[in-house]
Amino acid sequence: MTVLDDDMAFAGRDRTAVVGIGQTEFSRDSGRSVLSLATEASLKAIADAGLTVADIEGIVRCGDDTVTPPTLAAALGAANLTYWADTGPGGVAPCMMMGLAMGAVLSGQAKAVLAFRSLNGRSESRLGAGVQRTGAEVSGGAGSYDEFFVPYGLMTAGQTFALMTQRHMLDYGTTAEQLGAVAIACREHAQLTPHAQMRGKPLAMDDYLAARMISTPLRLFDFCLESDGACAVVITSAERARDLPRPPVLIRAVAGGSPRDHRAGMMFPAVTRHDMTELGGRRAGEVLWNRAGVGPGEVDIAQLYDCFTISVLLQLEAYGFCGKGEGGPFAASGAIRRGGSLPINTGGGHLSEGYVHGMNHIVQAVRQLRGEADMQVEGAELCLCTGGPLPIGSSVLFRKAA
């Protein structure tokens, strides 16, 4: 693994920190507005940081969130807002939100930045329901290129990842049991997480294999949850973080990347790549490790974006934890489980904790490096978080402060 020389080190390395975290209950029907959820998670994060609403000068969000920074600022009573931004698309956003917050703090545009994601992903806008757009919205592409795929039956994320899974199986011999190893690891971790939606619902391999097929070869438990909920974090400078009450978690580096054979649009065009199992995470990982000055072998925990079980296998390969095509055997070896060489999604992940579009992974990473997680990995110092695998990759590496 090639890393940067010290005199070429990434300018942002360890200079900002997450100092506060907050989340709501994760449920199937919150009975609340997304603004109410965002406000609760944000107030909890601000209080956890030992700050007040008046200290928040910046707000960043996922571009898919229906709650805007000015609206959230009004709900919070944040009168000192000087910076706001959004990024995306979709699950790519949370990791890149850390980059936006880092840039705002280091450039002096805001001393403390709130990053949040809020959605009623089960009771309202179900992300797994497929494309439901009018002709006017689809005509001309609207940046998605959906009109080239939807009329022919490719309408959901599950179908897209099913095609990627089938390709991986054909090329590398990946098996259903190897996919099941991911689902079972996440479910085991959820059993140790009181707030996880799948707490109290253990999963065995026989249960996984017997589950109904949703989009061949993906079964029910290959799919992430649909959840209502919100998460938020507060970012400030590492220097200021030392004076705050909670153990700071340093942002070591942030990086995004596109696959070599990148296609325009959102999700569906990925199936036209020469290798649809190649993710932007490979380039994101190369950049991240160079910026961080470490390699994948030094990472203690990973919160990998698990919209589907196959996305975990592909990211294990993309970020260099194993070779191309070796994600299945790596997962099946037990490496990703509690006590393994790389425990993943230690709160249960999107498959078993809740689906907050990657933001719950950020919160879980902070808990781990503070030493406050329900399923604590002892001695953990470096935690990788990855963003949605399509259409491009995103990642952030967190470090425990000395």
Side-chain angles (χ1 to χ4, degrees), residues 14 18 52 60 75 115-116 136 176 197 207 211 229 265 272 280 307 353 367 370 378 390:
D14 292 344
V18 177
T52 68
V60 296
F116 77 96
Q197 286 185 267
D207 301 320
T272 69
C307 47
E353 178 192 20
R367 285 202 178 101
R370 283 180 173 182
E378 297 302 326
L390 295 178

mmCIF file of all heavy atoms in Angstrom, residues 14 18 52 60 75 115-116 136 176 197 207 211 229 265 272 280 307 353 367 370 378 390:
data_model
loop_
_atom_site.group_PDB
_atom_site.id
_atom_site.type_symbol
_atom_site.label_atom_id
_atom_site.label_comp_id
_atom_site.label_asym_id
_atom_site.label_seq_id
_atom_site.Cartn_x
_atom_site.Cartn_y
_atom_site.Cartn_z
ATOM 1 N N ASP A 14 -6.712 14.730 10.785
ATOM 2 C CA ASP A 14 -6.847 14.822 12.244
ATOM 3 C C ASP A 14 -7.046 16.250 12.760
ATOM 4 O O ASP A 14 -6.871 16.506 13.946
ATOM 5 C CB ASP A 14 -5.624 14.224 12.953
ATOM 6 C CG ASP A 14 -5.517 12.727 12.779
ATOM 7 O OD1 ASP A 14 -6.513 12.098 12.372
ATOM 8 O OD2 ASP A 14 -4.432 12.178 13.044
ATOM 9 N N VAL A 18 -15.527 14.815 15.359
ATOM 10 C CA VAL A 18 -16.934 14.696 15.733
ATOM 11 C C VAL A 18 -16.997 14.745 17.247
ATOM 12 O O VAL A 18 -16.332 13.965 17.938
ATOM 13 C CB VAL A 18 -17.543 13.383 15.215
ATOM 14 C CG1 VAL A 18 -18.994 13.254 15.681
ATOM 15 C CG2 VAL A 18 -17.473 13.322 13.696
ATOM 16 N N THR A 52 -24.370 24.619 22.756
ATOM 17 C CA THR A 52 -25.733 25.121 22.686
ATOM 18 C C THR A 52 -26.098 25.356 21.226
ATOM 19 O O THR A 52 -25.229 25.392 20.342
ATOM 20 C CB THR A 52 -25.882 26.443 23.453
ATOM 21 O OG1 THR A 52 -25.138 27.471 22.768
ATOM 22 C CG2 THR A 52 -25.374 26.306 24.882
ATOM 23 N N VAL A 60 -25.092 20.882 7.321
ATOM 24 C CA VAL A 60 -24.974 20.181 6.048
ATOM 25 C C VAL A 60 -25.931 18.995 6.052
ATOM 26 O O VAL A 60 -26.218 18.417 7.096
ATOM 27 C CB VAL A 60 -23.531 19.714 5.770
ATOM 28 C CG1 VAL A 60 -22.606 20.907 5.639
ATOM 29 C CG2 VAL A 60 -23.024 18.777 6.856
ATOM 30 N N ALA A 75 -36.302 25.521 13.220
ATOM 31 C CA ALA A 75 -36.865 24.614 14.222
ATOM 32 C C ALA A 75 -35.998 24.543 15.472
ATOM 33 O O ALA A 75 -36.502 24.430 16.590
ATOM 34 C CB ALA A 75 -37.040 23.224 13.616
ATOM 35 N N ALA A 115 -24.343 17.999 11.018
ATOM 36 C CA ALA A 115 -24.670 17.182 9.845
ATOM 37 C C ALA A 115 -25.784 16.236 10.244
ATOM 38 O O ALA A 115 -25.718 15.610 11.301
ATOM 39 C CB ALA A 115 -23.445 16.401 9.387
ATOM 40 N N PHE A 116 -26.815 16.089 9.391
ATOM 41 C CA PHE A 116 -27.970 15.275 9.771
ATOM 42 C C PHE A 116 -28.536 14.548 8.569
ATOM 43 O O PHE A 116 -28.314 14.909 7.417
ATOM 44 C CB PHE A 116 -29.061 16.144 10.400
ATOM 45 C CG PHE A 116 -29.852 16.946 9.373
ATOM 46 C CD1 PHE A 116 -31.066 16.470 8.883
ATOM 47 C CD2 PHE A 116 -29.372 18.151 8.881
ATOM 48 C CE1 PHE A 116 -31.785 17.183 7.930
ATOM 49 C CE2 PHE A 116 -30.078 18.875 7.928
ATOM 50 C CZ PHE A 116 -31.294 18.389 7.448
ATOM 51 N N ALA A 136 -43.132 13.541 -17.443
ATOM 52 C CA ALA A 136 -42.424 14.820 -17.555
ATOM 53 C C ALA A 136 -41.122 14.795 -16.778
ATOM 54 O O ALA A 136 -40.118 15.366 -17.199
ATOM 55 C CB ALA A 136 -43.317 15.949 -17.054
ATOM 56 N N ALA A 176 -24.750 -18.274 -2.271
ATOM 57 C CA ALA A 176 -25.803 -17.730 -1.400
ATOM 58 C C ALA A 176 -25.358 -17.761 0.047
ATOM 59 O O ALA A 176 -25.641 -16.826 0.819
ATOM 60 C CB ALA A 176 -27.092 -18.535 -1.584
ATOM 61 N N GLN A 197 -33.577 -2.407 15.203
ATOM 62 C CA GLN A 197 -34.923 -2.868 14.852
ATOM 63 C C GLN A 197 -35.039 -4.397 14.862
ATOM 64 O O GLN A 197 -36.104 -4.946 15.118
ATOM 65 C CB GLN A 197 -35.323 -2.332 13.474
ATOM 66 C CG GLN A 197 -35.665 -0.850 13.472
ATOM 67 C CD GLN A 197 -36.176 -0.387 12.125
ATOM 68 O OE1 GLN A 197 -35.418 0.087 11.299
ATOM 69 N NE2 GLN A 197 -37.470 -0.516 11.899
ATOM 70 N N ASP A 207 -32.578 -20.153 8.188
ATOM 71 C CA ASP A 207 -33.618 -19.126 8.045
ATOM 72 C C ASP A 207 -33.340 -18.261 6.824
ATOM 73 O O ASP A 207 -34.255 -17.921 6.063
ATOM 74 C CB ASP A 207 -33.662 -18.233 9.288
ATOM 75 C CG ASP A 207 -33.933 -19.010 10.567
ATOM 76 O OD1 ASP A 207 -34.764 -19.926 10.518
ATOM 77 O OD2 ASP A 207 -33.320 -18.690 11.602
ATOM 78 N N ALA A 211 -35.770 -18.081 3.259
ATOM 79 C CA ALA A 211 -36.535 -16.854 3.031
ATOM 80 C C ALA A 211 -36.903 -16.717 1.558
ATOM 81 O O ALA A 211 -36.187 -17.202 0.675
ATOM 82 C CB ALA A 211 -35.737 -15.643 3.491
ATOM 83 N N GLY A 229 -36.580 7.432 10.900
ATOM 84 C CA GLY A 229 -35.636 7.838 11.940
ATOM 85 C C GLY A 229 -34.718 8.944 11.462
ATOM 86 O O GLY A 229 -34.762 9.370 10.299
ATOM 87 N N GLY A 265 -25.669 9.456 -14.860
ATOM 88 C CA GLY A 265 -26.949 9.085 -14.284
ATOM 89 C C GLY A 265 -26.841 8.627 -12.847
ATOM 90 O O GLY A 265 -25.843 8.871 -12.171
ATOM 91 N N THR A 272 -24.581 -1.129 -17.257
ATOM 92 C CA THR A 272 -23.984 -1.083 -18.591
ATOM 93 C C THR A 272 -22.471 -0.961 -18.533
ATOM 94 O O THR A 272 -21.820 -0.906 -19.579
ATOM 95 C CB THR A 272 -24.558 0.100 -19.399
ATOM 96 O OG1 THR A 272 -24.105 1.341 -18.833
ATOM 97 C CG2 THR A 272 -26.075 0.076 -19.428
ATOM 98 N N GLY A 280 -16.981 2.597 -7.460
ATOM 99 C CA GLY A 280 -16.201 3.810 -7.250
ATOM 100 C C GLY A 280 -15.433 3.764 -5.944
ATOM 101 O O GLY A 280 -14.489 4.526 -5.743
ATOM 102 N N CYS A 307 -26.741 -1.685 1.913
ATOM 103 C CA CYS A 307 -28.084 -1.635 1.347
ATOM 104 C C CYS A 307 -28.519 -3.039 0.922
ATOM 105 O O CYS A 307 -29.702 -3.378 0.987
ATOM 106 C CB CYS A 307 -28.149 -0.665 0.183
ATOM 107 S SG CYS A 307 -26.815 -0.842 -1.017
ATOM 108 N N GLU A 353 -29.964 -2.928 12.021
ATOM 109 C CA GLU A 353 -30.140 -1.836 12.989
ATOM 110 C C GLU A 353 -31.225 -0.883 12.533
ATOM 111 O O GLU A 353 -32.207 -0.632 13.237
ATOM 112 C CB GLU A 353 -28.828 -1.065 13.175
ATOM 113 C CG GLU A 353 -28.957 0.116 14.139
ATOM 114 C CD GLU A 353 -27.754 1.041 14.110
ATOM 115 O OE1 GLU A 353 -26.978 1.034 13.135
ATOM 116 O OE2 GLU A 353 -27.587 1.810 15.095
ATOM 117 N N ARG A 367 -19.436 6.061 18.360
ATOM 118 C CA ARG A 367 -19.643 5.307 19.598
ATOM 119 C C ARG A 367 -18.492 4.314 19.839
ATOM 120 O O ARG A 367 -17.995 4.179 20.962
ATOM 121 C CB ARG A 367 -20.966 4.540 19.542
ATOM 122 C CG ARG A 367 -22.196 5.398 19.729
ATOM 123 C CD ARG A 367 -23.381 4.533 20.194
ATOM 124 N NE ARG A 367 -24.552 5.381 20.416
ATOM 125 C CZ ARG A 367 -25.559 5.512 19.583
ATOM 126 N NH1 ARG A 367 -25.556 4.837 18.445
ATOM 127 N NH2 ARG A 367 -26.581 6.297 19.851
ATOM 128 N N ARG A 370 -15.257 6.083 20.865
ATOM 129 C CA ARG A 370 -15.381 6.639 22.219
ATOM 130 C C ARG A 370 -15.308 5.537 23.279
ATOM 131 O O ARG A 370 -15.131 5.813 24.453
ATOM 132 C CB ARG A 370 -16.730 7.346 22.375
ATOM 133 C CG ARG A 370 -16.854 8.707 21.759
ATOM 134 C CD ARG A 370 -18.266 9.201 22.049
ATOM 135 N NE ARG A 370 -18.495 10.572 21.657
ATOM 136 C CZ ARG A 370 -19.646 11.215 21.866
ATOM 137 N NH1 ARG A 370 -20.662 10.597 22.447
ATOM 138 N NH2 ARG A 370 -19.793 12.466 21.484
ATOM 139 N N GLU A 378 -12.926 -3.916 21.630
ATOM 140 C CA GLU A 378 -11.892 -3.416 22.528
ATOM 141 C C GLU A 378 -10.624 -3.038 21.759
ATOM 142 O O GLU A 378 -10.171 -3.751 20.871
ATOM 143 C CB GLU A 378 -11.560 -4.461 23.592
ATOM 144 C CG GLU A 378 -12.723 -4.796 24.515
ATOM 145 C CD GLU A 378 -13.264 -3.575 25.259
ATOM 146 O OE1 GLU A 378 -12.466 -2.678 25.601
ATOM 147 O OE2 GLU A 378 -14.488 -3.501 25.476
ATOM 148 N N LEU A 390 -23.371 3.143 -5.194
ATOM 149 C CA LEU A 390 -23.722 3.654 -6.524
ATOM 150 C C LEU A 390 -24.269 5.075 -6.400
ATOM 151 O O LEU A 390 -24.915 5.396 -5.404
ATOM 152 C CB LEU A 390 -24.791 2.762 -7.175
ATOM 153 C CG LEU A 390 -24.401 1.325 -7.506
ATOM 154 C CD1 LEU A 390 -25.599 0.578 -8.099
ATOM 155 C CD2 LEU A 390 -23.222 1.256 -8.457
#
